[in-house]
Amino acid sequence: MQIVFWSPVPGQGCATSGLLAVATYLASSEKKKVSILSTNCTNHDMQLPFIGYEQEKVFVDAASRLGLDALFRSAKGERLTKEIIEDAALRLSPRLAIFAMPSSGKVSVNETTLLETYDDIVTAVDKYNDFTLIDTRGGATRLNQKVLSMADVIVVCLNQNRSVFEAYFEQFKFSGKKLFYLVGNYDRNQSFSMKNIRRRYKSLKSNNSAVIWHNSDFSDAMNEGKLFKWMNVNKGCKKTDVNYPFIHEVDLATKKLIKMAGRSDT
């Protein structure tokens, strides 16, 4: 099941943090097998929330043998076997893996290679997972057209900025696609609340939209490379815990999303 996290405005929809919250919760609490891919070639740090800066220095030395670099080579040679996919993955737990970004920093070259190989790569990776979560570069790009066209569900990542909502509804139409709306870095004290958002934009319903609250502990865990451990510790926290509102909303978002995807009983 390919679920693409995409924002109409680059850098404003919290797409990456939303994806990481859902992915870690899916793997730790919902017991789903999840892999994370990114087509955002401007962001080389997808693995940092899991391994930290110290381990990143070691990881970089081996990066050319792992992740998308390895998948690129195998896709061009038409050898994307289960063994190759498993060897290319950075395995964070038995249920969660991430494929590192290409070692090259040449954005245009990496995007061209992704355009040529994405179909084969994502189909092969998805074959061995319950969910493949794909992070994207915001906005409209040629690569995004391909990625979004193949998605089983598109998670439209937005924030509490009305102009972002207006731009999205004016500029983008997704015909025949399952759309889920996720408002990131959410502050319940703002007047542009989810209740008012749903009231104004009638296509957003309770079953196809959710929020990810702003949470400093979650942000700290990502910065310290302890995200998966943090989610495992906090996934069952009590209502009295300071992190409960965040976890509760992640739980709601995740359950709604997998129900939309039709995989709630897998």
Side-chain angles (χ1 to χ4, degrees):
M1 183 65 61
Q2 299 176 34
I3 301 181
V4 174
F5 285 67
W6 167 83
S7 175
V9 182
Q12 290 196 41
C14 302
T16 301
S17 59
L19 180 152
L20 292 175
V22 170
T24 51
Y25 195 81
L26 271 171
S28 63
S29 186
E30 295 293 322
K31 309 300 183 185
K32 305 297 184 182
K33 188 174 182 183
V34 181
S35 278
I36 300 170
L37 282 169
S38 178
T39 62
N40 183 1
C41 297
T42 65
N43 177 15
H44 271 64
D45 299 332
M46 280 294 289
Q47 63 274 1
L48 280 176
F50 299 104
I51 65 175
Y53 283 94
E54 289 73 18
Q55 289 298 316
E56 171 77 355
K57 296 174 183 177
V58 177
F59 183 78
V60 166
D61 293 335
S64 63
R65 304 191 300 274
L66 300 168
L68 285 175
D69 280 337
L71 297 183
F72 284 164
R73 290 191 296 271
S74 297
K76 290 177 179 179
E78 298 181 352
R79 295 185 301 108
L80 281 169
T81 64
K82 182 178 181 180
E83 182 180 10
I84 287 173
I85 291 168
E86 289 293 329
D87 287 345
L90 174 60
R91 180 63 57 185
L92 304 165
S93 82
R95 293 189 180 89
L96 183 62
I98 186 169
F99 293 89
M101 294 301 292
S103 55
S104 169
K106 298 178 180 178
V107 173
S108 61
V109 172
N110 291 332
E111 288 186 341
T112 298
T113 305
L114 271 168
L115 272 168
E116 296 169 351
T117 61
Y118 179 79
D119 193 331
D120 292 333
I121 286 173
V122 76
T123 300
V125 170
D126 199 43
K127 182 178 179 180
Y128 303 109
N129 290 277
D130 295 316
F131 295 96
T132 303
L133 272 54
I134 300 113
D135 188 43
T136 57
R137 187 177 181 179
T141 68
R142 186 181 171 197
L143 178 56
N144 276 352
Q145 290 178 3
K146 175 182 279 290
V147 174
L148 294 169
S149 71
M150 291 184 63
D152 295 302
V153 178
I154 298 171
V155 180
V156 181
C157 300
L158 303 161
N159 61 15
Q160 287 171 277
N161 184 331
R162 182 175 164 184
S163 65
V164 173
F165 274 82
E166 295 293 339
Y168 166 73
F169 283 106
E170 288 174 5
Q171 299 174 28
F172 298 97
K173 305 292 181 185
F174 293 102
S175 177
K177 284 292 182 183
K178 291 182 178 179
L179 300 177
F180 190 87
Y181 298 91
L182 189 65
V183 179
N185 202 33
Y186 185 75
D187 180 356
R188 67 175 178 175
N189 295 314
Q190 288 193 30
S191 60
F192 199 54
S193 64
M194 180 55 89
K195 181 179 179 180
N196 290 329
I197 289 168
R198 287 174 180 155
R199 185 177 294 159
R200 181 173 183 82
Y201 304 99
K202 302 301 183 183
S203 57
L204 272 73
K205 310 291 185 184
S206 177
N207 65 344
N208 73 349
S209 60
V211 302
I212 301 289
W213 281 37
H214 173 78
N215 183 280
S216 297
D217 280 359
F218 174 75
S219 298
D220 287 344
M222 288 198 295
N223 284 330
E224 295 165 8
K226 299 176 180 178
L227 177 56
F228 192 63
K229 180 180 179 181
W230 184 89
M231 187 62 76
N232 270 314
V233 169
N234 286 279
K235 64 184 179 183
C237 65
K238 306 299 182 182
K239 289 185 178 181
T240 53
D241 193 289
V242 67
N243 291 318
Y244 177 81
F246 176 86
I247 294 295
H248 176 65
E249 294 298 337
V250 171
D251 177 70
L252 284 177
T254 303
K255 283 182 166 58
K256 291 179 184 180
L257 187 53
I258 61 179
K259 185 175 183 179
M260 174 180 282
R263 299 298 294 272
S264 56
D265 59 349
T266 57

